[in-house]
Amino acid sequence: MKDFTLRMHKERMLRVLVYIQQHLDDPLRLEILAGIACLAPHHFHHVFTGMLGESLARHIRRLRLERAAWRLKLSRMPVVQIALEAGYDTHEAFSRAFRNGFKASPTQFRRRHGTAYQLQVPSGVHYCDGVTLKDFRATRTGVKTMTVTIKQLGPMRVAFMRHVGPYNEVGRTWDRFMMLLGKEGLLGGDTQFIGICHDDPAVTPPDKIRYDACVTVGACFRPQGEIGVQVLAGGDYAVITHFGPYEKLGESYAKLLGQWLPRSGRDLRSTPCFEIYLNSPENTDPADLVTDLYAPLEPMQDILRR
Amino acid sequence: MPGQKIDLYKLYKDEYVTPRKPILVKTKPAQYLAISGQGAPGSDRFSACIGALYAVAFTIKMTRKFARKQDYAVCKLEGQWFFEADPARIPMDKWQWKLLIRTPDFINETDRQQAVATLREKRKPHEVEEVKLETINEGQCVQMLHIGPYDREHETIALMRAFAEQKGLKLVGPHHEIYLSDPRRTPPERLKTILREPAKKS
């Protein structure tokens, strides 16, 4: 069963990797890649980063650089054109990125003998002209140290305020949201504080990132002004606890969705992940913050039916 | 909004030191939101009281903030424990405590009553009515950071008592704890708690 799902998860991702290699000159939109992987866009980037050990943006950038290295060696294309096709507007920017990876300037690299065309990565996925990718290594660095529990949740009714803008500014939305709820006596001792990030800060432009600040409320609560109501779906969730600053939540999501999930025998449901904050950044050092991450799972029977 | 957000821990940082060895601290009278009870830590009564305390603390703060009055950070949970004998000999369900959240001096009885009324209107549990404002004056105290499970505090307290005796002081109680870590998730060996013992000349 677990072998089957790991194969399934890897095959989906392999289709994406092949597509990327065949469309390196295209914009490679998140929605299209997520569709190929049969994943919701909000899950895709976590799964990708976790499985490949690098973010989608980095992966694409690296493959374009590796292709540039091939072309420097095996073609007579002018460096400026190679730079442009690698996605760099100026020769300087290209040179900097190239030197960063290959430890030589593009011209030095062209002259030198027997230089490798590949940049070291755990997945073993590299640009290879005309050859279709057959396999890759799914990263598993975090699997051993991860404690994942499966929880069954009932539906949760929450009041929420939508934040659209840079992720590091969600604190302001929380402040206002808490003030409006708090003065109404809606923040009790058993209130849960939940965050839902609908976009990936690494892919979506900062001003377009959508995030919902949510607080559990009773059945009597009605939407008012900027505050809406939504119900977080019940069902099975894979849960891990993240210790430390919120900036590193992405790494924990990537481990859970990209490393644990493929080996778990389970599959993701398309509803977004959410996080429950167990202490408050107002009176806690970032290093001592504790957050539970919830990834929604498809019911087991749906997987067995396949 | 008037002034910057007040952080009482920064304002009174001398009272919230976390030394690895016992030291003397001088505390000034301080105002707290407080709720008293009896029962084992983690019991239903204990949890209900924590919930009520936070509910009142948040409601007062947010009501003031909405009214554009001075903003402040809600402090961490603290507790006083009243033991007539060695706690190891008292059944846990007989343990008596007062749970506290330090609150700025400008919070007054009207703020409290208004918050309790708002919470009751929203049908929050009746325990919120037991949350009172109280000023505690501990004066001179022996203080030390305890790292580890709560049930090993007696080791740290023994160090504090020995230190007090050296200084010609006696621990007079009540035993006071300031919870820096979240016991729900922090592994017991990493829990950090400030222990404070009021001390008088012996």
Side-chain angles (χ1 to χ4, degrees), chain B residues 180-196:
Chain B
L180 301 183
S181 312
D182 184 336
R184 290 173 300 179
R185 290 312 156 91
T186 317
E189 66 278 8
R190 279 174 41 200
L191 283 172
K192 288 184 183 173
T193 312
I194 296 178
L195 302 189
R196 183 186 285 172

Side-chain angles (χ1 to χ4, degrees), chain A residues 288, chain B residues 15-21 76-81 142-153 156-157 160 175-183 186-197:
Chain A
D288 293 330
Chain B
E15 299 182 18
Y16 292 96
V17 287
T18 55
R20 303 298 174 94
K21 284 182 181 156
K76 286 179 184 285
L77 183 69
E78 309 185 21
Q80 280 183 319
W81 297 78
V142 178
Q143 188 158 313
M144 180 172 165
L145 180 68
H146 171 75
I147 302 177
Y150 300 127
D151 60 13
R152 295 188 64 174
E153 279 183 13
T156 303
I157 296 170
M160 294 166 75
H175 170 71
H176 183 167
E177 312 184 337
I178 299 159
Y179 305 103
L180 301 183
S181 312
D182 184 336
T186 317
E189 66 278 8
R190 279 174 41 200
L191 283 172
K192 288 184 183 173
T193 312
I194 296 178
L195 302 189
R196 183 186 285 172
E197 300 283 350

Side-chain angles (χ1 to χ4, degrees), chain B residues 8-50:
Chain B
L8 293 175
Y9 292 131
K10 287 199 181 118
L11 212 55
Y12 301 107
K13 60 174 186 291
D14 295 347
E15 299 182 18
Y16 292 96
V17 287
T18 55
R20 303 298 174 94
K21 284 182 181 156
I23 64 160
L24 285 177
V25 296
K26 284 218 164 66
T27 64
K28 292 189 206 78
Q31 178 168 254
Y32 297 86
L33 285 164
I35 184 167
S36 298
Q38 177 179 315
S43 61
D44 288 348
R45 167 72 183 158
F46 192 80
S47 309
C49 287
I50 292 183

Side-chain angles (χ1 to χ4, degrees), chain A residues 84-272:
Chain A
L84 269 178
E85 289 184 12
Y88 296 89
D89 292 338
T90 66
H91 182 252
E92 288 71 29
F94 173 65
S95 279
R96 210 175 312 124
F98 194 87
R99 188 187 285 278
N100 213 349
F102 290 96
K103 310 293 168 223
S105 76
T107 2
Q108 284 166 339
F109 186 87
R110 182 162 251 183
R111 272 193 234 109
R112 216 184 267 168
H113 291 289
T115 315
Y117 305 110
Q118 300 181 343
L119 297 166
Q120 220 53 80
V121 274
S123 63
V125 178
H126 296 287
Y127 175 76
C128 212
D129 200 17
V131 181
T132 308
L133 189 66
K134 295 273 185 322
D135 197 10
F136 70 100
R137 281 191 298 275
T139 349
R140 57 180 311 153
T141 46
V143 175
K144 275 188 192 153
T145 53
M146 218 182 312
T147 315
V148 180
T149 45
I150 309 265
K151 283 192 195 167
Q152 272 187 323
L153 298 188
M156 273 195 287
R157 192 164 190 271
V158 297
F160 76 102
M161 194 182 267
R162 167 75 48 104
H163 166 92
V164 181
Y167 183 70
N168 58 13
E169 286 176 13
V170 301
R172 275 195 236 158
T173 302
W174 268 109
D175 265 9
R176 186 166 163 70
F177 184 46
M178 297 269 285
M179 178 180 77
L180 293 175
L181 291 179
K183 76 171 174 75
E184 300 288 335
L186 287 164
L187 299 180
D190 53 353
T191 306
Q192 297 206 289
F193 303 95
I194 304 169
I196 309 172
C197 197
H198 297 281
D199 298 292
D200 176 19
V203 178
T204 307
D207 58 318
K208 297 224 159 62
I209 295 204
R210 294 161 303 159
Y211 170 96
D212 292 341
C214 310
V215 156
T216 46
V217 285
C220 321
F221 183 84
R222 295 277 164 268
Q224 42 185 268
E226 310 154 69
I227 300 174
V229 169
Q230 60 179 306
V231 176
L232 307 184
D236 283 1
Y237 283 83
V239 186
I240 55 166
T241 304
H242 170 89
F243 296 94
Y246 295 147
E247 292 89 78
K248 302 227 166 175
L249 284 171
E251 291 174 20
S252 291
Y253 274 122
K255 278 186 190 168
L256 178 62
L257 269 60
Q259 298 188 21
W260 175 84
L261 179 87
R263 296 173 179 85
S264 67
R266 304 295 296 252
D267 199 4
L268 285 169
R269 230 178 324 137
S270 63
T271 53

Side-chain angles (χ1 to χ4, degrees), chain B residues 72-93:
Chain B
Y72 59 96
V74 172
C75 289
K76 286 179 184 285
L77 183 69
E78 309 185 21
Q80 280 183 319
W81 297 78
F82 306 90
F83 296 120
E84 310 250 303
D86 178 0
R89 293 167 185 276
I90 306 172
M92 272 173 122
D93 60 337

